[in-house]
Structure formats: structure tokens, C-alpha cells
């Protein structure tokens, strides 16, 4: 453990909190200090299940974690509807913020959260883990090289996973009062983030939902697709598809003028120790078009730390800068979150408008 | 060579004709009898380049091939605008027909061609080669098994290839009076065919072009995407993307409730001796969602004959049945062509309507 690690608290004991508790314990510059649930019993069960060390304080409320002066940064995996309330409280209590995606019900809420973080001088980051995988940086390097892939013309991504009957009956992610954005918020967030990432965070000019959207009886989106259209400098087009109704897919395909890349596990890599992508560049057909001159090349990237650990490490690095060296919070991560939420809002609005294009 | 092979003629000496000349020579039940070009010189150059045997008759006109009583079947790789004229002549001359895709400028033209074939008792087939690859049959077997992939929810396919400046200036495929359907006809045909194939040729209820279409100054489509939506029994959604402006891609992804399949070379396999696809079934995340319980499985299928040879062989088999045994022409292939053309027309119409949905 490095000196002066960043001390994390977690409020809410959802499944994903276990993954983050482990990530915090593995990050060299972070330590888990406190967890809180709405009941002491739930918090203790969580601590036992995840074998948290005895040094971790167990609270039977969220407020106690927020009031704990030993907590520097807070991870919030609560249902989206609760984000605004608890994120504002956290920022106003000078806690740095790791907020699970989707960050808010809409960008107006997120703006309140980001403004509260800014005015309190705390760092904001959302919980999009794959952006921190070393593979992602390696892929960006390839895309930045102007010859191998070239200007990006087309991006396609999917984030799907078949859910159980129990999920559709009782999970928070299909409840309008908890996670009203449904599959779009939970799964589509990743596809939107990937499209923006591929375009170096240039916003699309137009966002259009496709006619395949499905909602449950309460109006929560279970499955949808959208088209994202950029105008300049080149007219990139992205399609996204997210669904609770299909088998697990995490496809990302990016096609430029000179080459293309393919990932089938872009959100959660198959294994956490290494991750790969495939690319093809300068493909032509051999004489008589009876085959290709090249086959896809695999690039495998070792992951010394799992991607969620790199995420925690990056947030902790920024927090250490602010806490120990007087640095200002970085605007990079809140800007990424805000753009992702903005496009997500546009998809949602286009669905509400019966698939009419929404201009950004 | 089998006894009584089907004797093929080719009219037009485009690049693709060389591939088919070879395919006809490799098909065990077919033989190349005659080729015709608009000039004897072109025809002779073609014959020399492709080392055609001396037995092949070389004609300086298309009509002479059509009039040759030794020709049973005709392969027509001419520009789309010319299909109607020459296909009708061929059918009326009792020649069986292998017609390059797109089959016609619209389904009304294609219907005339198919009707002429029916009334003359000749077989019709379009030149979609990948449908005949043994891999395609193997993949259909997997999709037909109700558990591995399950009901199909989502299909995504691309057919793209970057063209040269010379192509954009002078190629027939970007000339409104020759191949007015541009990339949609030349490349999009494959994606539409793949979507229909995946759905066992059930037509989608609605076809909607996406806002990314690009045309040249003459109005010919250089790049476009579309959404195909099925209503019943399950609400399958397909997206297609075709383009002359992007690097070579031939992606086909099919996702069901229980599994998914991926091909990156579905139109022309990387190698002609074998072809593969990947599938994943029953994928779940391991504890804490730090990886998958499975990775994609590759299925490799040996190809005793290249796919275009299997195509010629299949057509020749049908022709032998008609010619030698009094069988009726099969309606399978013209029906597949007609449905593909129908959906292609709908994409084209949706583009003309500014991306409004077109009902089928």
C-alpha cells in the first residue's frame, strides 16, 4: 500500500459493490474505509460475504458514511433515481465521487451533481470501467495513427444480456421509480460511451432511435437501438443496440477508410489478466476475388491490474493530487460523463417522439 | 466431367466474369461453351487472360451467344440497367439464367424476368455466392437448433469496400444510367440477403433508411444504412450498412436469446478452402462479473469446392433436371431473389422519402 491511500466509502450493497470493494482493495493507492447499507444487517452480510477486513467500518445507514471524516471518496452504486440526492450530499460533504452509470435520470440532474462537485472542489468520475482497461488505450493508439484505420466512417456497438423472469418482475433496473432508463441506461450507456470515445468525444449532430424499441408495462425500456450521425469533418455514423432480451454480447466494431477493428468483449473482457482486439488494414481481394490478401491480426494487451482497479487507481491519483498537493479536480471525466448522458437523453427523447431525429 | 454437363455462355467480360469462367470450369456438372463481348477483341483478350480452352467459342456480340444452340445456360454480369433487356432475350431463347446481383433496377423489372423464365420453363438464379458456401448451411443448422442460439432478436451486417478515385469517376457502379442503385445494389444486396436468410425469408414489416446515406453528384448511393423490423413471432431487428467509402468489411452478427454468432468474411471467405464462424452460447459472467464463463467457439467448415463453384453446380443440377429429366424449374432461388430485391427497393424508397419508414 502506498502512503496516504485514498480512503473509500461505499453506500449501498448491490452486487456491483462487491466488485468495487475488491477493486478498491487491489488498487495500490486506495483503501476501503467504510460501507453503509440501509440496515446494519445487510451491511454486515455484505462485509462477511466479501471478506472485508476488520478495519472497514460497517454502518447501518448511508448518512454515517457521508459524515465519516475518514472517508475521502464515495462510491455510489444506488438506483439511478437516488443519484441526485446522495451525490449532492456527498459533494457537499467534500467527498470525491465515483458514481455508477447511468449517472443520472437526465443531464439536468447530472449538471447539478457536477456543479456541486466543482463548487466543493471534489473530483467526479462515473463507473465506466472499460475506459480504463489498458486495451482501450492501446486501441486508441491504433485509431490515432492516421494510416492503419484512417478516418472513422462507421461504428457499431452492442450491449445485451438476457435477464431472468425474476429480474423482469422485481429488479430495480426495470422499475420506473428506480431506474427509469432501463436497458438504455444500464447497457446502452456503454455503447454511447464507446461511440463518443471512438470520435474523441465530438458530439453527434443528430441522434435517432430505431423502431425496434421495447418497453415493459410500466414504460421502462427493455431493448432499443439508435443511430448517431456526425456531420463534420467526416460523416461518421454509429449504430448502437442494447437489450435485456438477448444473449450476452459486447460487440464493438469501428471501420475507417483504411482498416477496421473488432472487439466482442469490450465492456467486460473475457479474462481480467489480458484482453485483445482484432484489426484488419489494407484488406484487398486476391486475383479473381476468391479470398483476401490479409486476415485479422490479434493484438493482445496484458492487464497488470483489472480494469476496475485501474479506474479506482486513476480516481485515487486525482484525489491525491487534490487532497495532498492542492491540484484542481480534472474536468476530463465529468465532461465524458456529461456527453454520454447528453446523447443518452437524446436517444430517450427520440424514442418518446416515435423515432424522430433529435439534434444536439 | 460428368456426362451431359450443362453448357454455359457468358455475355460481358467484366472482372467478375473471370471468376465465373473459372467456377464453371471447376464445377463437375458444367462446362464453358461460349463467351461474348461487344467487340471480338475484348472477348479474345478475356479468353487469353483467363486461359480459356480452345473449345470455348468466342463471339464479338452478345446476340451470338444467345443464338448458339449449344448454350444451355447464360451467366449475365452486365450493368444492372441492361439486365431486363438481356435476361428477357435469354429466357425467350430458352437459356437458363444466372443473373448477377442486383438482379434488376426494381422488383417490377425482376418480375418481368422471373415471369419470362417461368413461361419459358428455364431456371432462374442470382449470383449471390455466399449462400452456397458449405459454411452457410452449417450455420443454418446451428441457428435451426432451438437451444444454442434461440429465437433471433438482432442481426447486424456490413458490406463495405473502399474504392479508388478512378472508380468514383468512371466505374459503371456509380453511373446513374448503368448501376443506379450504387453501393446499395452492389454491396447492400448481400446484407439484405443475409438478414432475410437469417429470418428464413420472412419479409420484414418495416424498412427504414438511416440518416447516413451519401450520394454522388449524379444521385447514385455511395454509402447507406437501414433498419429492418419484423413484427411476429418475435420482433427481430436488423441493421445493415453498405459503403464504397470504407475499408473492406463483411461482418455478420446474429444474436438470439441464448447465443450469438459472428462472421467477419461472410460474403467472400478469407480463404476458399475452408471458412469459419464463431459462436457463443449460454454466456454468463463469473462471480463479481470480472470475466465470462465461456469464450467464443470457432466452427471451421472445409470447402471441397469454392462457393461460386457450388453455386454453378447447384444451378447446373437444376438445369440437368429440367433438360434431361423433365423436371420443373425450382421456385426457391427466384423467390429468394425477389424478396431481396423487394427489401432493397424499400431501402431505396425510404432514402428517397428522407428516411421515412416503408411498410412491406
Amino acid at each position: 500500500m502506498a502512503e496516504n491511500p485514498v480512503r473509500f466509502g461505499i453506500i449501498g450493497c448491490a452486487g456491483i459493490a462487491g466488485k468495487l470493494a475488491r477493486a478498491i482493495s487491489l488498487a495500490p493507492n486506495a483503501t476501503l474505509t467504510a460501507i453503509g447499507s440501509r440496515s446494519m444487517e445487510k451491511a454486515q452480510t455484505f462485509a462477511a460475504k466479501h471478506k472485508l477486513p476488520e478495519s472497514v467500518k460497517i454502518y447501518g445507514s448511508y448518512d454515517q458514511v457521508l459524515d465519516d471524516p475518514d472517508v475521502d471518496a464515495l462510491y455510489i452504486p444506488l438506483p439511478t433515481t437516488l443519484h441526485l440526492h446522495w451525490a449532492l450530499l456527498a459533494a457537499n460533504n467534500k467527498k470525491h465521487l465515483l458514481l455508477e452509470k447511468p449517472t443520472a435520470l437526465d443531464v439536468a440532474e447530472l449538471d447539478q451533481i457536477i456543479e456541486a462537485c466543482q463548487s466543493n472542489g471534489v473530483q467526479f468520475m462515473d463507473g465506466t470501467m472499460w475506459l480504463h482497461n489498458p486495451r482501450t488505450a492501446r486501441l486508441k493508439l491504433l485509431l490515432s495513427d492516421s494510416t492503419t484505420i484512417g478516418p472513422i466512417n462507421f461504428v457499431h456497438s452492442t450491449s445485451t444480456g438476457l435477464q431472468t423472469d425474476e429480474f423482469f418482475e422485481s429488479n430495480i433496473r426495470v422499475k420506473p421509480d428506480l431506474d427509469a432508463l432501463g436497458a438504455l441506461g444500464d447497457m446502452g450507456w456503454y455503447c454511447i460511451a464507446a461511440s463518443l470515445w471512438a470520435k474523441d468525444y465530438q458530439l453527434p449532430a443528430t441522434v435517432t432511435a430505431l423502431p425496434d424499441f421495447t418497453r415493459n408495462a410500466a414504460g421502462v425500456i427493455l431493448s432499443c437501438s439508435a443511430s448517431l450521425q456526425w456531420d463534420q469533418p467526416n460523416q461518421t455514423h454509429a449504430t448502437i443496440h442494447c437489450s435485456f432480451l438477448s444473449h450476452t454480447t459486447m460487440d464493438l466494431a469501428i471501420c475507417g477508410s483504411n482498416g477496421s477493428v473488432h472487439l466482442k468483449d469490450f465492456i467486460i473482457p473475457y479474462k481480467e489478466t489480458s484482453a485483445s482486439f482484432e484489426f484488419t488494414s489494407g484488406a484487398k481481394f486476391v486475383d479473381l476475388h476468391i479470398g483476401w490478401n490479409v486476415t485479422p491480426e490479434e493484438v493482445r494487451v496484458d492487464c497488470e491490474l483489472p480494469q476496475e482497479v485501474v479506474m479506482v487507481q486513476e480516481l485515487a491519483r486525482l484525489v491525491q493530487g487534490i487532497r495532498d498537493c492542492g491540484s484542481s479536480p480534472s474536468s476530463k471525466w465529468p465532461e465524458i460523463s456529461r456527453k454520454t448522458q447528453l446523447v443518452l437523453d437524446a436517444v430517450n427523447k427520440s424514442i418518446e417522439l416515435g423515432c424522430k431525429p433529435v439534434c444536439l
Side-chain angles (χ1 to χ4, degrees), chain A:
Chain A
M1 178 78 64
E3 276 186 38
N4 290 324
V6 170
R7 300 162 300 174
F8 277 82
I10 297 177
I11 59 173
C13 291
I16 187 87
K19 183 171 184 174
L20 261 289
R22 172 176 176 265
I24 293 163
S25 77
L26 292 175
N29 57 353
T31 186
L32 183 60
T33 295
I35 61 158
S37 183
R38 279 171 296 170
S39 83
M40 182 54 105
E41 193 193 338
K42 273 194 190 170
Q44 281 168 338
T45 304
F46 179 86
K49 180 180 175 191
H50 296 287
K51 299 189 176 63
L52 302 186
E54 290 199 0
S55 59
V56 177
K57 293 184 244 185
I58 315 290
Y59 292 121
S61 78
Y62 302 155
D63 286 307
Q64 285 170 287
V65 184
L66 266 75
D67 289 337
D68 189 329
D70 291 338
V71 169
D72 298 312
L74 204 69
Y75 171 59
I76 305 185
L78 300 174
T80 313
T81 302
L82 304 179
H83 283 193
L84 181 64
H85 175 80
W86 292 103
L88 290 184
L89 273 182
N92 291 333
N93 272 19
K94 311 288 184 199
K95 308 299 188 196
H96 304 275
L97 207 54
L98 181 61
L99 185 61
E100 202 39 75
K101 37 56 55 181
T103 48
L105 291 175
D106 57 37
V107 79
E109 281 192 6
L110 178 58
D111 279 343
Q112 291 184 60
I113 294 170
I114 291 174
E115 279 160 27
C117 288
Q118 279 174 343
S119 62
N120 285 288
V122 296
Q123 184 63 49
F124 175 91
M125 181 184 279
D126 77 51
T128 310
M129 300 170 185
W130 71 268
L131 285 173
H132 302 270
N133 195 296
R135 168 176 65 175
T136 308
R138 179 67 188 79
L139 183 55
K140 179 53 82 179
L141 204 64
L142 187 83
L143 295 172
S144 307
D145 152 18
S146 63
T147 55
T148 311
I149 306 300
I152 294 172
N153 297 322
F154 189 69
V155 181
H156 174 69
S157 61
T158 70
S159 174
T160 66
L162 184 66
Q163 303 297 344
T164 59
D165 289 348
E166 191 195 340
F167 175 97
F168 289 118
E169 273 162 34
S170 58
N171 194 281
I172 59 159
R173 281 173 283 176
V174 291
K175 297 287 179 189
D177 55 339
L178 293 170
D179 268 328
L181 299 167
L184 175 61
D186 190 41
M187 317 286 276
W189 177 275
Y190 294 117
C191 298
I192 292 168
S195 307
L196 288 169
W197 172 84
K199 286 293 291 176
D200 290 330
Y201 296 102
Q202 187 191 342
L203 283 172
T206 318
V207 171
T208 315
L210 305 188
D212 65 325
F213 63 87
T214 307
R215 300 173 188 263
N216 68 9
V220 175
I221 296 163
L222 302 181
S223 177
C224 69
S225 303
S227 145
L228 282 54
Q229 178 66 31
W230 283 259
D231 278 346
Q232 298 299 335
N234 64 319
Q235 305 185 330
T236 308
H237 183 235
T239 48
I240 67 165
H241 174 65
C242 57
S243 179
F244 288 146
L245 306 172
S246 290
H247 182 254
T248 307
T249 67
M250 299 180 163
D251 294 353
L252 174 59
I254 301 172
C255 184
S257 303
N258 310 330
S260 61
V261 300
H262 290 86
L263 290 79
K264 284 198 286 287
D265 61 347
F266 85 96
I267 302 166
I268 298 177
Y270 294 123
K271 307 283 174 201
E272 61 178 1
T273 47
S274 77
S276 73
F277 60 84
E278 286 191 333
F279 78 97
T280 311
S281 183
K284 296 201 185 311
F285 301 119
V286 298
D287 266 0
L288 293 181
H289 288 208
I290 57 173
W292 299 43
N293 64 334
V294 294
T295 51
E297 205 167 314
E298 187 186 27
V299 176
R300 184 157 286 281
V301 180
D302 288 332
C303 302
E304 200 185 333
L305 295 172
Q307 59 185 17
E308 61 274 14
V309 180
V310 182
M311 175 178 75
V312 169
Q313 186 182 30
E314 164 70 358
L315 176 60
R317 185 185 68 78
L318 293 168
V319 171
Q320 285 174 319
I322 298 163
R323 188 194 60 184
D324 306 336
C325 312
S327 303
S328 295
S330 161
S331 63
K332 173 184 169 181
W333 297 108
E335 279 172 10
I336 289 175
S337 307
R338 189 176 190 281
K339 285 179 174 176
T340 311
Q341 184 82 47
L342 207 58
V343 174
L344 196 146
D345 286 8
V347 175
N348 200 24
K349 189 174 171 190
S350 179
I351 291 174
E352 280 170 15
L353 295 173
C355 301
K356 289 217 163 57
V358 172
C359 295
L360 290 181

